[in-house]
Amino acid sequence: MTTSATGSQLEPQYHELAAQAVAHSLNTNSVRGLTAAEVRQRLNQYGENELKAKPGKPAWWRFLLQFNQPLLYILLIAGIIKAFLGSWTNAIVIWGVTVINAIIGFVQESKAEGAIAALAQAVTTEATLLRDGQKIRIPSREIVPGDIVMLASGDKVPADLRLVNSRNLQVDESALTGESVPVEKSTAPLQPDAPLAERLNMAYAGSFVTFGQGSGIVVATAGNTEVGRISQTIEQRSNLSTPLTRKFDKFSRTLLYVILGLAALTLAVGLGQGQTFAGMFEAAVALAVSAIPEGLPAVVTVTLAIGVNRMARRHAIIRKLPAVETLGGATVICSDKTGTLTENQMTVQAIYAGGDRFTVSGTGYSPEGEIRELREIRELRELRERLPVALEECLIAGLLCNDSHLEEKNDRWVVVGDPTEGALIAVAKKAGLSQSELVESIPRVDAIGFESQFQYMATLHELGSGESVRVGLETRPYGSGEESKVIYVKGSVEAILSRTRQMLDRNGNSISINRAEVEQQVELMAKQGLRVLAFAKKTVGDNQTSVDHNDIESDLVFIGLQGMIDPPRAEAIAAVRNCQSAGIDVKMITGDHITTAKAIALRMGLQKDGRVEAFEGQQLAQMDDRELAQAVEDGVVFARVAPAQKLRLVEALQAKGEIVAMTGDGVNDAPALKQADIGVAMGGAGTDVAREAADMLLTDDNFASIEAAVEEGRTVYQNLRKAIAFILPVNGGESMTILISALLARDLPILSLQVLWLNMVNSVAMTVPLAFEPKSEGVMRSSPRNPREPLISGKLLQRILAISGFNWILIFGFFEGVRQNTGDVTLARTMAIQALVAARIVYLLSISHLGKAIALKIRGRKVSISGTKAIALGILAAVLLQIVFSQWSVMNNLFATAPLNLNQWLICLLPALPMIPLAILVNWIDRPE
């Protein structure tokens, strides 16, 4: 008996065993079920059939963990030092910043704690069981391995079952396997290596019975089910950091070491020069405070929050703030096919009847669309007159040999029943045929339901003897003499063709069947990824009141073929093209058949080097890490993929340095969603499990919204970069000024409290508006930034150093000049600060959209200044705050500043002039590639 590793134990592969062998191995009776004593014993052994969530950390501990960040270490230490020195106002402000950031992180993280609880709900239901020879209905948590579970249409499968009986049983496993249509089940043993999506003799917990009846032996409950294993996978994986948080951590640690090193150097050199400990300690503290970008965490949070709001307006709901920036840096998007790239509605797109080919427009179950005759490869002819008889017969067969119907709900057509049958009804409606009218005119007498061993469905209908009935678009005679009833049959091509010798021509006359032509048409449809159904009819006598398999063993008349597919969304095709032009690879990872997946990929334009490289789950299972790494690089389609393989594919891409966005809607997608740099779940059709494991939800379940979110994410990163480029040069200039002044034993040109004002109030007032900057032209025409690029790249570092040097010269030079001329240290410090702010305003304009718009207007070019209101308000707020800073007596006492007269104000504006050419220079050096 073959075994496979799952977790730490080896468990049997029940799908390869006969049903009797499974019953024997689980010591159960497939006819009578378990006894009450056996149930009690097994409940003690295996526990209840519920997923137990791993005990989470208490809320107070999770809140404290929010402070476990290097940048917050610096702020906390600075606050402690300021409190130690008696500057409680400064300390409270600094601590307030850290607490606000911790609260935001705590709230965002708490929203992600429901993944395991959602998984538990996925298997909580009631079930019908056979125990002690009696049928009983009990809560699913009381089920134990060895129980016999009865299944019927509409039931949720309560545990993993090895099927014992199956009568037309169809199960929707899309949440687990990604298969877009219900799976026809059987009971025969399968090959040991059969992938999860092809284990036809198994029914898995959390899936739904859509048709038929069956029964099965419970082989796994709770955490041992396939859903349970996914639960364990999610539990074992900690919340991965995003590229933004990783870069911030690295930057913060580096900054921490630099600050501590410079502060220690300042203290040591000063003491070595014979200066007092108290004076040098104050200088070291001032240096530390000046080097810490206190306003940066708040600015980053605001920028990300604004990005969240913008994305929400474009149908993308962000659950974790850093995910905003992460999506903008995505280099690969792995998308499931169903619902995201496609309509998630089966649609007939090709018909062959009477020797003619037809194409069908429109998508989904909506009756909007046309059927056109395909005369030549590039020529379509509208059917202006009545439908050809053979085409009409083919559509009627699809309508009558059908157990489903369509309903209009909330302005949208939905199928009640099988999606394939819904597609047959929809295409008939496009031709003007009414299912209700046909059912009334040609009532059903008897039927044979679809069975996998026969691969067809048949229905017997009353035509009436020699009467005229409404069939399709006109009233015409149908049935005469002894032949007044008709059997319609639909099923696989092989099942129908083996029972036919004749076919209908265009006008409805019987002729000898051209099998070669029919098989050629089947092959053409299959190459397009279409699921092909064949249709046939047989007229019988009026005395026939039932239909069985013997009646359709021979003498069927072939009517035609209908090919259907879940078509790609038009807007998704455009979105894929935009992502590719932006340098983002799009890969399809799906549970569907490889032929269907490749056909969808071709329609979506997912080729790489002009071809679609596709791999199946079985191939991936046999690959080592090196081979898988090559496969994920070359492949664009991965079909019949198991949950563990989805996870492995994401990990392989990340190992190559890619920033991976993964979409999904099923239980099976949850581990990969959690592992990906950003998990994207469907907000509408998705399961609770997928939504709770994801970083982002799509409210319209549309791939086009991912592309829009990528655009917004890139804009957020650009604005973050502007914010960093604006904030850090002030810290650099302040630090250099204090460091050199302390080492030269001179008066400090700027005090620690004044530094705090610049870093917290002035910086935030002028930097927050950068978060509202509009997107730049060509944001989706450039390649993704290098994932390995540090937060402070080479060009950005050059910019920061250049502006920091200018700020140092400005502060130091202005302070020394005013002090020497006036002898007033307080006035010198005040004017140095105001001169610095004036230069900062010019620098802010140079990196903002408003400044560029003003420059272009000066040059006579027409340019929009929309989206620049925030920058203008930020500058106005900064100016007003600086007036208050120096002119209000309360502020003079609090921050040791002096009021300025008009001449002094004008002098403070002078440093803004040399900032103009410097800003132009650094913008040219740091221009986008």
Side-chain angles (χ1 to χ4, degrees):
M1 181 171 59
T2 304
T3 58
S4 67
T6 55
S8 60
Q9 298 178 339
L10 292 176
E11 297 182 357
Q13 297 282 61
Y14 291 107
H15 64 269
E16 68 175 295
L17 302 177
Q20 297 87 343
V22 174
H24 178 74
S25 67
L26 292 172
N27 194 23
T28 188
N29 187 316
S30 59
V31 177
R32 295 186 56 82
L34 298 174
T35 65
E38 289 172 327
V39 171
R40 286 194 298 271
Q41 186 271 327
R42 296 186 187 201
L43 268 175
N44 291 331
Q45 179 181 355
Y46 297 104
E48 291 187 336
N49 181 34
E50 287 185 318
L51 293 179
K52 304 296 183 182
K54 183 180 178 181
K57 300 181 181 72
W60 63 270
W61 180 247
R62 286 189 287 112
F63 178 74
L64 290 179
L65 287 177
Q66 301 303 317
F67 294 93
N68 187 25
Q69 301 177 38
L71 191 58
L72 294 188
Y73 295 160
I74 303 173
L75 293 178
L76 289 170
I77 293 170
I80 292 171
I81 294 173
K82 298 305 292 183
F84 179 76
L85 296 176
S87 300
W88 286 101
T89 301
N90 295 2
I92 290 172
V93 171
I94 294 173
W95 289 338
V97 172
T98 63
V99 171
I100 290 172
N101 278 275
I103 291 173
I104 293 173
F106 174 75
V107 171
Q108 293 296 324
E109 184 179 288
S110 296
K111 291 180 180 179
E113 294 298 316
I116 305 303
L119 275 165
Q121 294 223 344
V123 294
T124 300
T125 184
E126 287 193 344
T128 302
L129 273 67
L130 191 64
R131 284 183 178 173
D132 283 322
Q134 301 293 322
K135 283 186 179 180
I136 61 172
R137 191 161 181 84
I138 64 171
S140 65
R141 66 176 178 272
E142 298 177 15
I143 291 175
V144 296
D147 264 325
I148 308 299
V149 175
M150 317 300 291
L151 298 175
S153 181
D155 287 347
K156 179 187 281 189
V157 180
D160 286 0
L161 311 178
R162 170 60 167 90
L163 296 174
V164 177
N165 296 302
S166 173
R167 180 169 177 78
N168 305 327
L169 183 65
Q170 296 182 18
V171 180
D172 181 356
E173 297 177 339
S174 58
L176 187 63
T177 66
E179 181 69 63
S180 58
V181 295
V183 179
E184 177 79 15
K185 292 296 183 178
S186 65
T187 59
L190 302 171
Q191 292 296 318
D193 60 351
L196 190 71
E198 297 178 6
R199 296 178 186 175
L200 304 181
N201 57 14
M202 299 290 295
Y204 293 103
S207 55
F208 288 88
V209 178
T210 60
F211 190 78
Q213 297 177 330
S215 63
I217 304 171
V218 176
V219 297
T221 58
N224 292 322
T225 63
E226 289 295 328
V227 172
R229 293 185 182 116
I230 294 172
S231 166
Q232 293 165 10
T233 303
I234 294 178
E235 283 186 356
Q236 292 165 1
R237 295 189 176 274
S238 59
N239 284 329
L240 295 181
S241 59
T242 68
L244 179 64
T245 57
R246 290 195 294 267
K247 290 176 182 178
F248 256 101
D249 283 347
K250 185 175 182 179
F251 165 74
S252 301
R253 292 180 191 280
T254 302
L255 185 61
L256 173 63
Y257 300 145
V258 170
I259 290 173
L260 294 178
L262 290 177
L265 175 65
T266 302
L267 184 62
V269 171
L271 293 176
Q273 293 176 341
Q275 299 183 47
T276 65
F277 178 82
M280 292 312 301
F281 188 73
E282 171 62 26
V285 171
L287 176 64
V289 172
S290 67
I292 298 171
E294 290 94 345
L296 186 57
V299 169
V300 169
T301 299
V302 170
T303 304
L304 295 176
I306 292 169
V308 166
N309 291 332
R310 285 179 173 177
M311 287 184 178
R313 291 195 292 268
R314 302 183 75 173
H315 308 292
I317 306 299
I318 296 295
R319 299 182 64 248
K320 302 173 184 176
L321 279 181
V324 179
E325 181 274 340
T326 308
L327 189 60
T331 58
V332 178
I333 299 177
C334 298
S335 178
D336 191 2
K337 174 186 74 66
T338 305
T340 314
L341 296 173
T342 64
E343 297 284 351
N344 201 21
Q345 294 183 336
M346 295 298 288
T347 305
V348 173
Q349 295 195 331
I351 302 174
Y352 172 76
D356 297 321
R357 290 187 292 161
F358 305 89
T359 64
V360 185
S361 63
T363 58
Y365 303 127
S366 169
E368 297 178 2
E370 293 180 335
I371 301 176
R372 295 185 177 185
E373 186 173 355
L374 185 61
R375 280 295 185 182
E376 296 179 4
I377 294 177
R378 298 181 181 275
E379 182 182 347
L380 295 174
R381 193 177 75 176
E382 294 186 17
L383 301 173
R384 300 182 184 280
E385 304 171 359
R386 62 173 301 279
L387 299 178
V389 176
L391 173 60
E392 190 174 38
E393 284 278 9
C394 187
L395 297 174
I396 290 171
L399 269 182
L400 295 179
C401 192
N402 196 311
D403 286 327
S404 305
H405 66 277
L406 298 179
E407 292 181 356
E408 191 172 13
K409 293 182 179 179
N410 300 322
D411 298 325
R412 185 181 181 189
W413 288 91
V414 296
V415 62
V416 179
D418 185 78
T420 298
E421 293 187 333
L424 299 177
I425 301 170
V427 70
K429 288 174 73 70
K430 292 174 184 177
L433 300 176
S434 168
Q435 187 181 31
S436 58
E437 290 181 5
L438 277 171
V439 168
E440 183 179 349
S441 301
I442 312 175
R444 181 187 293 189
V445 178
D446 194 21
I448 300 174
F450 183 88
E451 296 182 26
S452 57
Q453 66 183 106
F454 295 105
Q455 292 294 309
Y456 60 73
M457 173 184 177
T459 54
L460 174 64
H461 297 268
E462 177 76 53
L463 292 175
S465 180
E467 295 181 4
S468 293
V469 296
R470 182 166 180 78
V471 178
L473 303 180
E474 63 178 27
T475 300
R476 57 185 171 90
Y478 213 110
S480 60
E482 297 179 356
E483 296 180 340
S484 58
K485 291 182 179 175
V486 63
I487 299 173
Y488 284 114
V489 187
K490 81 168 187 287
S492 69
V493 175
E494 296 79 6
I496 300 300
L497 288 185
S498 65
R499 293 167 169 81
T500 59
R501 292 184 179 180
Q502 291 185 309
M503 64 181 288
L504 294 183
D505 67 7
R506 180 181 179 87
N507 298 316
N509 302 312
S510 295
I511 60 174
S512 296
I513 189 170
N514 186 343
R515 295 183 185 276
E517 170 67 15
V518 174
E519 290 170 353
Q520 182 182 7
Q521 295 302 320
V522 171
E523 186 177 353
L524 285 174
M525 291 185 185
K527 285 182 178 179
Q528 300 175 52
L530 302 180
R531 181 184 182 187
V532 184
L533 285 179
F535 300 84
K537 62 180 284 189
K538 182 179 183 180
T539 52
V540 295
D542 184 51
N543 59 347
Q544 184 153 345
T545 59
S546 64
V547 59
D548 60 35
H549 297 293
N550 292 331
D551 294 321
I552 53 178
E553 275 302 306
S554 61
D555 298 328
L556 296 182
V557 179
F558 175 77
I559 302 174
L561 307 169
Q562 294 193 45
M564 64 191 68
I565 198 171
D566 183 8
R569 298 173 184 250
E571 63 271 28
I573 295 175
V576 167
R577 187 165 55 248
N578 291 339
C579 286
Q580 291 172 334
S581 66
I584 303 172
D585 287 336
V586 181
K587 299 180 185 292
M588 183 191 299
I589 302 179
T590 178
D592 267 343
H593 192 278
I594 191 169
T595 303
T596 303
K598 287 183 68 174
I600 293 292
L602 282 169
R603 296 184 182 207
M604 297 295 305
L606 291 180
Q607 301 95 329
K608 185 173 183 179
D609 299 327
R611 61 193 181 93
V612 174
E613 188 76 27
F615 296 91
E616 285 189 286
Q618 285 180 310
Q619 295 174 273
L620 299 177
Q622 298 171 1
M623 293 180 181
D624 57 27
D625 291 342
R626 182 184 59 80
E627 293 170 330
L628 185 68
Q630 189 62 45
V632 296
E633 182 176 344
D634 298 337
V636 294
V637 171
F638 301 88
R640 283 288 194 255
V641 176
Q645 291 171 335
K646 287 188 177 184
L647 184 60
R648 193 178 172 212
L649 286 170
V650 171
E651 290 173 335
L653 287 166
Q654 290 174 325
K656 296 176 71 68
E658 305 287 359
I659 302 298
V660 182
M662 172 74 188
T663 75
D665 57 3
V667 174
N668 62 320
D669 297 318
L673 289 174
K674 200 169 183 68
Q675 172 67 32
D677 295 289
I678 177 165
V680 183
M682 305 302 106
T687 61
D688 287 342
V689 178
R691 287 194 288 267
E692 292 295 339
D695 306 293
M696 185 178 87
L697 307 180
L698 299 182
T699 58
D700 60 352
D701 296 0
N702 194 334
F703 185 87
S705 297
I706 301 178
E707 184 257 338
V710 169
E711 182 180 78
E712 293 294 346
R714 289 190 171 190
T715 301
V716 165
Y717 182 79
Q718 289 180 349
N719 293 344
L720 275 177
R721 196 176 186 279
K722 289 179 181 179
I724 293 171
F726 182 73
I727 286 181
L728 293 187
V730 171
N731 295 99
E734 293 167 348
S735 302
M736 292 170 65
T737 300
I738 293 173
L739 175 63
I740 295 174
S741 297
L743 295 179
L744 296 178
R746 302 183 69 87
D747 290 333
L748 295 179
I750 185 169
L751 301 176
S752 59
L753 199 62
Q754 295 167 344
V755 167
L756 196 61
W757 168 270
L758 284 172
N759 291 356
M760 289 299 299
V761 180
N762 181 266
S763 286
V764 172
M766 289 203 287
T767 309
V768 167
L770 288 172
F772 295 89
E773 284 280 273
K775 64 184 178 185
S776 62
E777 295 182 7
V779 68
M780 288 298 287
R781 291 198 295 269
S782 59
S783 299
R785 62 184 180 275
N786 187 347
R788 298 180 178 86
E789 180 183 277
L791 185 66
I792 308 298
S793 62
K795 289 185 176 181
L796 182 57
L797 181 60
Q798 293 176 27
R799 170 193 286 270
I800 292 172
L801 291 176
I803 302 298
S804 295
F806 177 85
N807 288 339
W808 166 65
I809 294 172
L810 189 157
I811 297 172
F812 197 83
F814 222 84
F815 170 76
E816 290 294 335
V818 174
R819 189 182 67 165
Q820 289 179 12
N821 288 330
T822 65
D824 189 338
V825 175
T826 301
L827 178 65
R829 286 172 176 156
T830 305
M831 292 185 68
I833 292 172
Q834 302 295 34
L836 174 65
V837 172
R840 291 192 80 192
I841 291 174
V842 173
Y843 179 53
L844 176 64
L845 286 171
S846 75
I847 63 176
S848 69
H849 184 73
L850 176 61
K852 294 176 182 177
I854 292 173
L856 290 174
K857 281 186 175 294
I858 292 174
R859 293 162 58 183
R861 292 177 57 181
K862 292 183 178 181
V863 62
S864 172
I865 59 172
S866 61
T868 60
K869 182 179 179 181
I871 290 291
L873 291 175
I875 292 174
L876 177 62
V879 170
L880 293 176
L881 285 170
Q882 290 308 120
I883 292 174
V884 171
F885 177 74
S886 64
Q887 304 304 114
W888 190 21
S889 59
V890 174
M891 301 296 283
N892 295 153
N893 295 328
L894 182 62
F895 289 96
T897 58
L900 307 181
N901 58 38
L902 181 60
N903 288 334
Q904 291 168 337
W905 275 108
L906 292 175
I907 293 172
C908 291
L909 298 179
L910 294 177
L913 297 177
M915 173 59 83
I916 297 175
L918 177 62
I920 294 173
L921 176 63
V922 295
N923 283 339
W924 182 82
I925 294 174
D926 192 28
R927 67 191 184 281
E929 295 294 341

